[in-house]
Amino acid sequence: MSDQDLQNVFKEYMEQDSFFQNKDILSFSYNPDEILHREEQINELASILAPALKGEEPSNVFVYGTVGTGKTLVMNHISEHLKTVSKDSDVSLETVYINCKLKKVADTEYRLLAQLARELGKDVPSTGLPTSEVHNYFVEALKEKEGVVIIIMDEIDTLVKKIGDDFLYGLTRLNEDLGDSRVSIVGISNDLNFTDYMDARVKSTLSEEEVIFPPYNALELKEILRHRGEQALLDSALQEGVISKCAALAAQEQGDARRALDLLRVAGELAERDNKTKITTGYVDKAQSKIERDRVVEAVKNQPKQSKIVLASIVELNKQKGGNIDTGELYNYYKDKTNNMGVNTLTQRRVSDLISELNILGVINAKVVSKGKYGRTRKININLAPDVVKKLKDSVDYL
DNA sequence: AGTCCACAGGAAGGGCAGGCGA
DNA sequence: TCGCCTGCCCTTCCTGTGGACT
C-alpha cells in the first residue's frame, strides 16, 4: 500500500464518521446559550430571587417538575446570572448547589451539612465529628459570608424521604442568628406530591413560592433537538424524521428532554459505528433499546453481592415458573442457593428490603397482594426484556 | 362477622470500619 | 494509643393488614 493509499483510508475514515461537530452539546449537562420553552419559569424565578441583589432575603422557593423538564438547567442558568450581576454591583451573594440524590453527598444529615460547609469554603472531614459540630462549621461558614446565600437543593424529595424534614425546619430557622448573613432555600423536586410528607410548618415556610415546570410536548422537544442538533451535528447527518422520532419517543417518557437528547446522541454513535453516512430512524429504535439495556446493566452491576444473588434467584425462578413469584417461595430458593454457594444467608427481613430496592431500581416489579386466608405477600415479576437478561448474565457476576 | 395466614415493613440496636481530637 | 462519633449492613422483635375461608 502506498503512502497515498494509506492517507486515503484515513481520510475516508475521517469523512465517514464525522456526524458530530461537537457531541457535548447533545449531553444533558451542557449549558446551551439559549434555553427554549422555559421563558415563563425563568422570569418567575428571576423575579423571586432578585431581592438577593439588594442584599435582601429572597423568599424560599419550591420548584416542581418531572425528570428532564429543565429544572436544574434553568436554576444553574439563573444562579450564574445572579453571580455575574452581584459581582458587577459589588453585592455579597453566594449560591450553593447540592444534588441530594448523589450518594455519599447528601444521604445523611452529617454528609449534607459537611457538603454545604465545604461548598462555602470550610474543610470538613467526611466522618468522625459529631453532627452538631459539623452544624456549627456550617453556621460559621454562613456567618462569614456576610451576605445572602442561596442554597439550591436538587432532588430534595429524596433527602426528605431519607432523613426527614427536621433538617429543613432547622434551615428555615437559621436566619434568626446569622448576624449579617441571610439564607434562602430553593428546593427542586421531581415529585409533585412530596410536600405531603412534610410537617405543615416546614411546608409553609419552605414553599413561600412555587414554580412548576410542565413536561415538554413533542413539538417543544422537536425544537429543542433541532436547536441543539444544528450545533452538534453536521447538516448532512440526519435523515428526515429522525428528530421527530426522538421527540415522539421522549414525549411518551413524560416529556423528558434528557431522554430526547440521549436518543439522538446514541443513535448517532450507533450509526457512526456501522459506518453509515446518515442517522436513520432505525437507529433511533436501536438507541432506545440500548439506553434501556445500559441503564439496567449499570444499575445491577453496582448492586452488592447479596442483592445480585437475590436477583439471580428471581431470574432462575422466573425461568422455571414464568413469573408471579411470591416472597416465601423466593426466600426458600435463595436460602438453598446461598447454602450451595457457601455464602451466608440473610434473614427474610433483610431480603425483603433487597427486593424493595430492586423494585425501586425498576429491575423487577414487586406488588403487594393479599391471598386472603393464605396471607399477604409480594408478587414478584421480572421487568426486563430477554435480551437484557442475557446481557446481565454475560456481564454481571452471580447471575 | 370473625378468623387467620404470610407476609409487609417500622423500630431498635449490634457490630464493624473509617476517621476525628487529645 | 484511646475514646468517641458516624455510616453501613444486618438481625431481632414487633405490629399491622387484605381478603379468602369458615
Side-chain angles (χ1 to χ4, degrees):
Chain A
M1 189 188 268
S2 72
D3 286 357
Q4 189 56 47
D5 286 345
L6 186 60
Q7 279 192 16
N8 283 341
V9 171
F10 283 141
K11 221 171 169 184
E12 212 170 279
Y13 182 82
M14 294 285 289
E15 276 161 15
Q16 241 171 7
D17 75 350
S18 51
F19 287 163
F20 295 106
Q21 287 180 305
N22 184 353
K23 209 194 276 183
D24 288 347
I25 295 175
L26 290 182
S27 114
F28 194 71
S29 51
Y30 177 80
N31 269 328
D33 46 3
E34 189 187 352
I35 300 177
L36 297 176
H37 302 295
R38 285 295 172 247
E39 295 80 7
E40 203 179 299
Q41 286 76 18
I42 292 175
N43 286 336
E44 218 176 324
L45 280 165
S47 57
I48 293 167
L49 297 176
L53 291 168
K54 289 186 183 162
E56 292 161 21
E57 172 194 339
S59 303
N60 298 318
V61 198
F62 254 106
V63 176
Y64 294 104
T66 51
V67 259
T69 47
K71 305 179 295 293
T72 308
L73 185 63
V74 164
M75 269 324 299
N76 285 339
H77 182 73
I78 290 178
S79 87
E80 281 307 309
H81 279 268
L82 278 174
K83 274 186 215 161
T84 319
V85 176
S86 70
K87 214 170 268 169
D88 291 349
S89 48
D90 225 11
V91 182
S92 171
L93 171 64
E94 188 94 14
T95 63
V96 179
Y97 173 87
I98 291 261
N99 186 339
C100 304
K101 207 174 186 176
L102 291 180
K103 279 196 170 176
K104 317 273 178 192
V105 171
D107 43 4
T108 65
E109 187 176 355
Y110 182 100
R111 283 186 172 158
L112 183 67
L113 284 166
Q115 186 62 27
L116 285 169
R118 270 185 222 121
E119 294 278 341
L120 291 166
K122 287 265 179 191
D123 204 17
V124 186
S126 55
T127 164
L129 298 178
T131 306
S132 59
E133 188 66 27
V134 187
H135 186 265
N136 291 339
Y137 272 122
F138 170 56
V139 173
E140 275 309 306
L142 284 174
K143 279 185 184 163
E144 282 167 18
K145 290 295 167 193
E146 295 182 353
V148 179
V149 179
I150 298 175
I151 300 178
I152 302 166
M153 302 175 85
D154 206 347
E155 317 246 16
I156 196 171
D157 45 326
T158 46
L159 177 78
V160 172
K161 280 171 201 160
K162 261 183 213 146
I163 67 173
D165 55 5
D166 288 354
F167 174 80
L168 291 175
Y169 183 73
L171 270 186
T172 59
R173 298 286 132 152
L174 226 47
N175 278 327
E176 288 155 22
D177 41 32
L178 274 186
D180 291 334
S181 292
R182 289 282 170 270
V183 169
S184 92
I185 297 158
V186 178
I188 305 181
S189 165
N190 290 329
D191 180 355
L192 287 138
N193 302 317
F194 120 90
T195 43
D196 298 350
Y197 304 106
M198 289 184 358
D199 186 293
R201 288 173 309 176
V202 186
K203 189 174 165 178
S204 64
T205 30
L206 269 183
S207 45
E208 292 167 334
E209 304 274 359
E210 292 184 348
V211 178
I212 311 273
F213 280 61
Y216 296 109
N217 61 39
L219 216 67
E220 290 167 341
L221 286 171
K222 220 162 129 178
E223 282 180 39
I224 292 170
L225 281 178
R226 187 152 288 148
H227 181 70
R228 295 235 201 157
E230 272 168 14
Q231 300 169 52
L233 296 161
L234 292 180
D235 295 344
S236 57
L238 286 171
Q239 193 199 46
E240 184 72 29
V242 167
I243 295 234
S244 304
K245 180 146 193 183
C246 293
L249 285 175
Q252 284 168 23
E253 300 264 340
Q254 310 158 24
D256 182 352
R258 178 182 316 213
R259 174 52 73 94
L261 291 166
D262 283 347
L263 280 171
L264 185 57
R265 195 192 62 248
V266 174
E269 286 168 356
L270 291 175
E272 191 177 271
R273 206 173 296 167
D274 286 355
N275 281 327
K276 297 288 182 209
T277 49
K278 270 191 190 304
I279 305 172
T280 60
T281 52
Y283 280 100
V284 179
D285 287 323
K286 286 186 184 164
Q288 171 93 327
S289 52
K290 180 178 178 354
I291 289 169
E292 182 57 23
R293 205 165 54 223
D294 289 354
R295 185 188 71 79
V296 170
V297 171
E298 207 43 43
V300 173
K301 249 186 195 162
N302 292 328
Q303 288 302 105
K305 177 169 102 183
Q306 288 286 355
S307 183
K308 286 177 187 164
I309 298 173
V310 170
L311 180 60
S313 306
I314 297 171
V315 169
E316 285 159 28
L317 269 175
N318 185 65
K319 201 169 171 190
Q320 280 176 26
K321 57 167 286 194
N324 279 340
I325 304 155
D326 48 54
T327 312
E329 196 181 358
L330 170 63
Y331 186 68
N332 286 332
Y333 190 93
Y334 158 86
K335 215 158 60 184
D336 289 346
K337 193 176 169 69
T338 47
N339 283 335
N340 291 337
M341 290 168 72
V343 176
N344 60 331
T345 309
L346 301 179
T347 55
Q348 179 154 344
R349 180 68 190 84
R350 180 64 189 141
V351 171
S352 168
D353 279 345
L354 293 178
I355 295 170
S356 298
E357 284 167 27
L358 289 169
N359 190 34
I360 289 169
L361 272 181
V363 180
I364 60 169
N365 196 334
K367 216 167 116 193
V368 180
V369 293
S370 172
K371 294 189 291 178
K373 193 177 181 345
Y374 304 105
R376 254 153 64 92
T377 183
R378 274 190 288 206
K379 286 269 175 235
I380 302 163
N381 282 290
I382 202 139
N383 212 4
L384 307 169
D387 65 316
V388 181
V389 174
K390 192 169 173 299
K391 178 100 193 251
L392 279 177
K393 282 186 174 164
D394 291 344
S395 53
V396 181
D397 10 317
Y398 303 108
L399 278 149

